[in-house]
Amino acid sequence: MLLMYSLQRSYNYCEIGEKMKRIGSIALASIAIIIMAAMAVSVSSKQEESDMVSLPQPRTDGGISVEKALFERRSIRSFKNESLTLDEVSQLLWAAQGVTDDKGHRTSPSAMASYPLEVYLLAGNVTGLSAGVYHYSPHGHNLTVISLGNKIDELFSSSLRGKKDWRALSPAVIIITGVFERINKVPGQDLSRFVYVETGTAAENLLLEVVSLGLGATYTAGFDENRTRECLGLARGEDPIAVLPVGRKA
Ligand SMILES: Cc1cc2nc3c(=O)[nH]c(=O)nc-3n(C[C@H](O)[C@H](O)[C@H](O)COP(=O)(O)O)c2cc1C
């Protein structure tokens, strides 16, 4: 009887030991999963951080008068083989769509403050910035990498009436796109034209800033839409509207 009892007890202890082992290994596995998940989150947030490029603060004073910039503005299609600086690129992006107050208003007006425009930078030769395709975020005044590598030559590789497209030699190209659903919120009304109007105002801001910085640029609306969409990775509903090559006047 005593033997039976002690056998039963030792069996129970064995069973408890097994259960404890199982619980222990489940706990260990859970801890390992939590640690791995935390590591994955930290790697992906580091990845996001490294995909973001902070831009130098834009200056809001100085430069030349608006009248002088208006008087001097001309479409420039020939650039020196020289880089732009990150300061210059920052100033140009800000001129197009930068945020200028804590309510989120921008350098360009926007119908119903709907802000349907997006701005992209194709960097080919910009000091302090890897060649690549970037999206400009007005709120953070920063860039997010879309893809790395100089895509300017590729985008403008087709010839224009047998001549090489002059835009292929630009150190940087700024592209303005429109997201139409942001403005088409009034039922029964197609307000798409507002997006084109806003592109014009943003582009003119940029062109005047170009003059103020002593650079050259041209507003171009003749471009290969499919290639541009592919280059920027645009989804349906967002269309490229203006392509502005920028460089140092030759
Ligand atoms: C809506 C629009 C589209 C344009 N598209 C092109 C273009 O595709 N290629 C180009 O070289 N210039 C283009 N231009 C620039 C004009 O050719 C230029 O503004 C015009 O010749 C007047 O010269 P200016 O800008 O030096 O005053 C465009 C201008 C505007 C406003």
Side-chain angles (χ1 to χ4, degrees):
M1 190 64 181
L2 196 64
L3 181 67
M4 283 287 284
Y5 176 71
S6 59
L7 277 174
Q8 181 71 38
R9 276 190 62 173
S10 66
Y11 172 78
N12 284 347
Y13 282 139
C14 283
E15 200 179 32
I16 289 167
E18 277 305 309
K19 272 189 188 155
M20 291 300 283
K21 261 194 216 160
R22 248 181 277 143
I23 290 168
S25 43
I26 289 169
L28 272 176
S30 310
I31 290 167
I33 288 168
I34 290 166
I35 290 171
M36 272 165 17
M39 279 165 69
V41 166
S42 111
V43 166
S44 86
S45 68
K46 279 206 185 98
Q47 182 76 33
E48 272 166 30
E49 272 170 35
S50 67
D51 283 352
M52 208 194 75
V53 180
S54 295
L55 291 168
Q57 274 305 106
R59 63 174 163 79
T60 55
D61 204 356
I64 63 174
S65 70
V66 175
E67 291 79 5
K68 195 163 166 53
L70 286 168
F71 185 73
E72 287 186 1
R73 187 210 59 80
R74 206 76 298 143
S75 293
I76 304 295
R77 300 181 179 84
S78 178
F79 305 121
K80 287 183 185 160
N81 185 15
E82 285 178 13
S83 60
L84 294 181
T85 66
L86 199 55
D87 278 325
E88 287 166 335
V89 162
S90 160
Q91 198 67 33
L92 295 173
L93 294 165
W94 175 82
Q97 277 295 284
V99 171
T100 48
D101 71 15
D102 53 13
K103 293 194 181 85
H105 293 112
R106 301 189 187 178
T107 48
S108 288
S110 176
M112 299 169 283
S114 56
Y115 301 108
L117 305 183
E118 295 295 331
V119 181
Y120 296 84
L121 169 74
L122 271 59
N125 189 4
V126 178
T127 309
L129 188 65
S130 302
V133 180
Y134 298 86
H135 173 255
Y136 173 62
S137 167
H139 285 280
H141 190 59
N142 55 43
L143 295 170
T144 307
V145 181
I146 294 174
S147 63
L148 288 174
N150 188 348
K151 302 286 161 54
I152 296 175
D153 190 52
E154 195 181 307
L155 183 58
F156 301 112
S157 61
S158 45
S159 61
L160 290 171
R161 292 178 288 275
K163 273 174 71 184
K164 188 172 168 70
D165 190 330
W166 57 271
R167 293 173 290 190
L169 299 173
S170 323
V173 176
I174 292 171
I175 300 180
I176 303 176
T177 67
V179 181
F180 291 82
E181 67 176 17
R182 289 191 202 149
I183 217 153
N184 281 324
K185 291 212 181 304
V186 183
Q189 274 191 59
D190 182 3
L191 301 178
S192 300
R193 67 185 185 282
F194 290 4
V195 179
Y196 299 107
V197 172
E198 292 198 23
T199 303
T201 66
E204 182 67 2
N205 281 0
L206 191 153
L207 291 173
L208 294 178
E209 185 71 65
V210 159
V211 180
S212 180
L213 293 172
L215 302 172
T218 292
Y219 186 123
T220 74
F223 55 84
D224 184 321
E225 181 174 343
N226 289 337
R227 240 185 238 186
T228 310
R229 299 190 74 85
E230 203 179 306
C231 175
L232 303 180
L234 300 186
R236 191 192 288 263
E238 179 176 1
D239 292 347
I241 302 171
V243 170
L244 299 117
V246 187
R248 296 194 189 286
K249 289 187 262 184

